[in-house]
Amino acid sequence: RMTAEEARTVGSRTLYVRGGTEALERVRAAAERGLEATAGAQAEQEPALQVAARRPRPDRPYGFLSFSSHEAAVASLALLAPGSNGGSLSPTIAGSPGAEVYWAHNDMGTEETRPPRPGMTEAQARDSSTLYLSLGSGDRTTRADAARTLATDALCRLLGGDGGDAPDPDDPALAVELRRPPADVAYAFLEFPSHAAACLALEDLVGSRDGGDLGGLPGAALFWARGGQGLKVPHPAPRDCWFCLASPQLEQHLIVHVFERCYITMPKGPLDPFHCLIVPIAHTNSGALTGDAADEMENVKERLRRFFQAKLGKELFVFERAMETRGGYHTHVQCIPCAPSVAKRLEPALRGLANRCRFPLREVTSDLSLTPLLATEETGAPRGYFYAELPVPVGEPRRMLHVAGEGERARVPLQVGREVVAEALGKPEMVQWKQCVLVKEEETRSAEEFRTLLMEYL
């Protein structure tokens, strides 16, 4: 028999029950009722209220109860027996006198004593963006916050964010919300912006899209929660957008030139002193190169290409990641000048990244618009895409396209273009845009210089 202190030390989630088959089942049912009562209003969404019962052999007068966590076992034992170490069970609970309950090691009765995997498989949770978090033993607030941080870091890393920093204001698709029931219980919920985001984080953290033990937080586990719909992140109004000209969030000192339908601006954390963005003036999250400003943006892009070649002796690398980020997204095209020695390394870097992230690329050989290539067969509606123009020594740039939905388990990192350029430069630290941010005075001077030199090409 283990004491409560010994059980806490080893993280036991198993109770030994001495009694017949009927007693074991009655005690199991009483334990589940107690957990449901503790969960209160969250009971409908709590996937780990199950208590598994097992009797090693039918003729043995004892069995085992297994719980989802040590904390759940503690709470149940407090309801079943008079002391934290266990003891005699009331006949009202067990159905007969003489029944007892005590702590047991988790491996008592082999693997079958462990509770069934709580919650749903990923296939059963297609509409859920909520994960159930079993906290295990320890300070619950600290562990819940730590789990949220692990999930956020995973999304930032997998989607090419800021290397584990808190999500940027314009990237709510990386936000993970922690929700805890009002009662002091050993579980919580993590809400993700989408089912896909929850899948990515779950597979990275536990090694399975169906859930399992949380490796970065011993004793904790993550599984799908029933009915969770995740964060409802609305598309921002223009006042909240970093690229809308009327928005207070716009950093006007970065703007180089404004045209009729689009404008040129410098980014935060440029990869080159003349790294710039072409941004449609109208707020839209559909592809810039397929929207109403597409013709003008094409013209501006060609002027930039001539400017970089004539003034800087550099080639233009163009890319657009036109994929839904569920809020905060104002479509734009990135234009990065690259020295010839760097330009020739862009295609191998892009293809290597595509292979690692499993997103198929196809070369666009037609001069026609991208729009027909993006239309869905059923409705004709455009799909998201990643598009790149790779400079070549002679002739027109090589055009590469990935269409959202193509490729099994494909993902296109948020910072895909930065990753390609950083690899071509041999400077992996430049993937993190915050490592390249200039002070406002330097940004202002760079924009003014860019504006002056570019003027004759506009």
Side-chain angles (χ1 to χ4, degrees):
R1 295 178 184 177
M2 302 170 63
T3 65
E5 181 62 25
E6 291 170 335
R8 185 191 66 78
T9 300
V10 300
S12 173
R13 49 185 172 78
T14 303
L15 297 179
Y16 164 88
V17 177
R18 184 172 183 83
T21 300
E22 180 183 356
L24 183 63
E25 178 54 33
R26 287 175 65 98
V27 174
R28 186 201 63 78
E32 283 194 348
R33 288 195 301 271
L35 291 177
E36 291 170 359
T38 302
Q42 300 293 335
E44 291 184 0
Q45 286 188 293
E46 162 61 296
L49 299 179
Q50 304 171 65
V51 181
R54 180 183 180 277
R55 185 180 298 280
R57 286 173 49 182
D59 59 336
R60 298 293 186 181
Y62 63 86
F64 300 93
L65 298 181
S66 291
F67 298 81
S68 62
S69 68
H70 175 72
E71 300 294 334
V74 169
S76 294
L77 186 59
L79 296 171
L80 298 172
S84 60
N85 294 326
S88 298
L89 288 163
S90 165
T92 303
I93 294 176
S96 60
E100 298 175 319
V101 60
Y102 299 100
W103 285 105
H105 288 280
N106 287 332
D107 57 357
M108 294 289 287
T110 74
E111 285 287 323
E112 295 179 46
T113 65
R114 298 181 182 177
R117 186 198 61 77
M120 303 172 285
T121 65
E122 189 270 332
Q124 296 168 327
R126 287 294 183 186
D127 296 325
S128 176
S129 52
T130 304
L131 297 182
Y132 163 79
L133 168 63
S134 176
L135 295 171
S137 59
D139 183 272
R140 293 167 180 171
T141 299
T142 300
R143 290 175 68 82
D145 289 340
R148 177 188 175 278
T149 298
L150 288 171
T152 300
D153 288 351
L155 287 186
C156 287
R157 182 175 65 257
L158 293 168
L159 298 179
D162 300 322
D165 292 341
D168 296 316
D170 64 335
D171 285 336
L174 299 182
V176 180
E177 182 180 277
L178 172 66
R179 179 166 54 81
R180 297 197 64 190
D184 184 22
V185 293
Y187 63 87
F189 298 93
L190 296 179
E191 305 261 22
F192 291 79
S194 66
H195 176 80
C199 278
L200 286 174
L202 190 60
E203 185 171 34
D204 182 74
L205 294 171
V206 309
S208 168
R209 289 196 173 195
D210 292 335
D213 293 336
L214 185 53
L217 195 63
L222 280 174
F223 297 100
W224 289 102
R226 296 185 177 93
Q229 297 303 312
L231 293 174
K232 303 301 181 183
V233 183
H235 292 297
R239 287 186 58 82
D240 300 321
C241 178
W242 283 21
F243 293 118
C244 283
L245 294 180
S247 170
Q249 304 298 325
L250 179 74
E251 299 205 39
Q252 297 186 20
H253 67 285
L254 294 172
I255 295 177
V256 176
H257 191 84
V258 179
F259 300 88
E260 181 180 353
R261 292 178 176 268
C262 67
Y263 67 93
I264 301 174
T265 187
M266 300 186 73
K268 303 291 287 185
L271 288 165
D272 180 274
F274 294 91
H275 179 178
C276 62
L277 314 178
I278 309 175
V279 186
I281 292 174
H283 182 87
T284 176
N285 57 12
S286 60
L289 295 176
T290 61
D292 294 338
D295 289 342
E296 185 177 88
M297 294 181 71
E298 189 68 30
N299 181 271
V300 171
K301 183 179 64 178
E302 291 309 312
R303 295 185 189 192
L304 287 170
R305 195 187 309 279
R306 292 197 299 271
F307 165 72
F308 290 144
Q309 290 174 340
K311 286 289 187 180
L312 307 178
K314 293 186 176 182
E315 300 295 334
L316 177 60
F317 174 45
V318 174
F319 69 91
E320 181 188 13
R321 185 187 186 279
M323 293 183 174
E324 179 58 66
T325 59
R326 297 184 65 85
Y329 182 69
H330 186 134
T331 189
H332 57 274
V333 175
Q334 301 223 24
C335 300
I336 305 174
C338 298
S341 60
V342 175
K344 67 182 182 181
R345 294 196 289 269
L346 292 172
E347 183 171 355
L350 176 58
R351 290 192 180 277
L353 179 62
N355 288 335
R356 293 192 298 274
C357 296
R358 302 180 182 179
F359 64 90
L361 286 169
R362 55 173 132 159
E363 185 170 358
V364 180
T365 56
S366 169
D367 291 330
L368 298 177
S369 164
L370 295 178
T371 304
L373 301 176
L374 303 173
T376 57
E377 294 182 0
E378 296 78 10
T379 65
R383 291 173 289 177
Y385 63 90
F386 168 72
Y387 172 79
E389 292 180 4
L390 298 162
V392 296
V394 179
E396 295 297 315
R398 182 166 295 163
R399 305 166 70 202
M400 308 301 293
L401 178 69
H402 166 72
V403 180
E406 295 181 350
E408 184 177 355
R409 295 172 68 180
R411 65 176 182 86
V412 181
L414 282 175
Q415 303 292 343
V416 54
R418 291 191 72 96
E419 291 194 32
V420 170
V421 176
E423 182 175 335
L425 288 169
K427 297 180 178 180
E429 69 277 7
M430 297 187 79
V431 171
Q432 316 305 333
W433 68 267
K434 287 187 176 180
Q435 299 293 324
C436 305
V437 171
L438 307 174
V439 298
K440 186 172 182 179
E441 290 75 15
E442 291 179 294
E443 290 177 336
T444 301
R445 285 196 299 270
S446 292
E448 290 175 349
E449 180 185 7
F450 196 173
R451 190 179 304 118
T452 300
L453 293 174
L454 183 63
M455 192 57 64
E456 64 179 283
Y457 293 86
L458 297 179

